[in-house]
Amino acid sequence: MSVVSHAREAAGQPTPLRHDWSRSEIEALFALPMPELLFRAASVHRQHFDPAEVQVSTLLSVKTGGCPEDCSYCPQAQRYHTGVQATKLMETDAVLEKARQAKAAGATRFCMGAAWRSPKDRDVPKVAAMIREVKALGLETCATLGMLTGEQARALKDAGLDYYNHNLDTDPEFYDSIIQTREIQDRLTTLEHVRDAGLKTCCGGIVGMGETGRQRAGLLRTLANLPSHPDSVPINRLVQVEGTPLHGTEEIDPFDFVRTIAVARILMPRSMVRLSAGRQDMSDELQAMCFLAGANSIFYGEQLLTTGNPDTERDMALFARLGLRPMQVHVDAEHHDHPGTAHVDIIELPQHPRSFAA
């Protein structure tokens, strides 16, 4: 980053969005002394967001397990013996009831996830029906269903889908060490279809899978150099599940995780940077450092709308200790959110909820 850019940051002037980052530039950011890196990330954060506000997000699994892929981190892959039982796609009425409960609890955005490599064409009308019904409640909608064709993306958009989640997972250099049933280009192509359909994107990755620092820089470089920065960038810390190939992998150093958050914030200044999978095992102190580094979104709670959920209570207690507050969403008469606002989604994963990377 140039001296001019540093000066503009210090003066509170937003720096232009870039899509031409080199790996060496990003590695140089990772190598900064921690106080300097956190200062730069916090400066960028304040240019675009209120640092005391955090987006609160969760996710409903509408179809769990039985995935034919071989993602080494995922307990939902049918080839691994992890105890996850495959389920059929939920009925629309059941999803709608969850959505009503979510809205009654204050949610404004409802996200649906299915453990598919890609939806079959016969599945799309079923998911589209869910989207239309949820949208009719006045909720924002999002989905993560695997790879999409252009036609499928347009069908979901026509049904009222607002956001689509599809992660890159890791650096293209490291990708085939983690996944061999699809290529990184397959993921990039799906993102292209999603953008072309006019959907907003949620795209990030997983760290702690045995990648090097260079490869973490490569993941962030690929995300930041997409044609448009993802609206949301989930940074997942690997949750190791017995039965998956990555069980027993050496854990990422907590400070390296904080550095990843900070560099993501600098590279993608207007994106929501989300603490996703793995947050349950983070100490309050580590989470606080991540917020200082520019994280402004979290996944919230282990269960859907449970009263007295200890994880929910812990999160709210941490917010109170840090003086943070959940972001509010302002939705217009057409049920569309205003730019720069945040969202609340809902989560319920029947098995191994902590392993879900979104």
Side-chain angles (χ1 to χ4, degrees):
M1 191 175 295
S2 70
V3 173
V4 173
S5 295
H6 293 164
R8 294 180 69 172
E9 283 182 10
Q13 301 175 18
T15 55
L17 296 184
R18 289 183 53 187
H19 303 271
D20 61 349
W21 290 92
S22 69
R23 192 185 296 259
S24 61
E25 285 179 297
I26 298 173
E27 288 182 303
L29 288 173
F30 271 99
L32 287 171
M34 184 68 83
E36 176 66 17
L37 177 59
L38 293 182
F39 172 76
R40 294 192 191 182
S43 298
V44 171
H45 190 189
R46 281 159 173 75
Q47 291 174 11
H48 302 282
F49 298 98
D50 183 337
E53 291 188 338
V54 178
Q55 178 194 50
V56 177
S57 303
T58 52
L59 173 71
L60 171 70
S61 178
V62 298
K63 194 277 177 192
T64 303
C67 181
E69 301 236 51
D70 68 351
C71 305
S72 299
Y73 54 81
C74 186
Q76 300 202 66
Q78 63 184 4
R79 68 189 66 205
Y80 306 139
H81 301 290
T82 62
V84 173
Q85 300 298 315
T87 66
K88 295 181 179 180
L89 184 67
M90 291 176 64
E91 296 295 331
T92 299
D93 287 347
V95 173
L96 190 59
E97 177 58 27
K98 298 295 186 183
R100 290 194 186 100
Q101 294 175 36
K103 184 176 181 180
T108 57
R109 182 174 171 222
F110 194 81
C111 187
M112 294 155 277
W116 285 323
R117 170 179 167 80
S118 58
K120 296 180 173 62
D121 286 340
R122 67 172 182 267
D123 296 319
V124 174
K126 300 175 185 177
V127 177
M130 296 176 188
I131 293 167
R132 280 192 295 270
E133 294 293 335
V134 171
K135 190 78 170 180
L137 295 177
L139 290 164
E140 284 280 324
T141 56
C142 66
T144 176
L145 312 170
M147 295 182 291
L148 295 181
T149 65
E151 184 177 355
Q152 289 173 335
R154 289 189 294 272
L156 296 175
K157 171 67 174 177
D158 290 343
L161 188 66
D162 298 300
Y163 290 78
Y164 195 77
N165 166 255
H166 198 63
N167 288 336
L168 295 183
D169 283 354
T170 193
D171 179 20
E173 284 188 358
F174 190 56
Y175 188 86
D176 61 4
S177 298
I178 302 299
I179 304 164
Q180 296 187 338
T181 49
R182 75 168 92 167
E183 298 179 354
I184 189 72
Q185 185 56 51
D186 294 323
R187 294 183 183 268
L188 295 170
T189 299
T190 288
L191 290 171
E192 182 179 359
H193 292 158
V194 168
R195 289 192 301 268
D196 288 347
L199 293 164
K200 297 179 181 179
T201 59
C202 174
C203 183
I206 307 171
V207 297
M209 297 192 293
E211 76 283 348
T212 64
R214 168 185 168 82
Q215 290 162 341
R216 280 192 286 277
L219 167 64
L220 296 185
R221 176 176 182 263
T222 306
L223 291 168
N225 288 350
L226 289 169
S228 59
H229 291 165
D231 295 274
S232 179
V233 181
I235 304 296
N236 299 275
R237 190 173 74 160
L238 175 67
V239 176
Q240 299 187 26
V241 178
E242 188 172 357
T244 60
L246 289 181
H247 184 251
T249 302
E250 183 178 357
E251 294 186 1
I252 185 174
D253 182 277
F255 292 139
D256 287 338
F257 185 81
V258 174
R259 288 180 181 276
T260 305
I261 296 293
V263 174
R265 168 54 63 212
I266 292 170
L267 301 184
M268 294 166 281
R270 297 180 186 172
S271 302
M272 306 301 299
V273 176
R274 178 180 296 157
L275 300 181
S276 295
R279 191 175 64 86
Q280 298 89 312
D281 295 326
M282 298 180 192
S283 68
D284 288 352
E285 293 79 7
L286 175 55
Q287 292 185 68
M289 286 196 70
C290 289
F291 294 135
L292 289 173
N296 61 341
S297 178
I298 63 169
F299 270 124
Y300 179 74
E302 293 278 358
Q303 300 293 329
L304 176 63
L305 305 174
T306 53
T307 302
N309 185 332
D311 297 303
T312 299
E313 292 176 357
R314 175 192 170 190
D315 289 336
M316 289 300 97
L318 178 60
F319 275 26
R321 291 169 66 196
L322 298 179
L324 302 177
R325 59 185 179 274
M327 282 185 179
Q328 300 300 309
V329 181
H330 303 287
V331 180
D332 63 25
E334 299 299 322
H335 308 309
H336 296 297
D337 64 329
H338 298 298
T341 61
H343 315 275
V344 180
D345 312 321
I346 297 299
I347 188 165
E348 182 174 327
L349 293 175
Q351 301 280 345
H352 299 293
R354 294 187 304 163
S355 67
F356 191 89

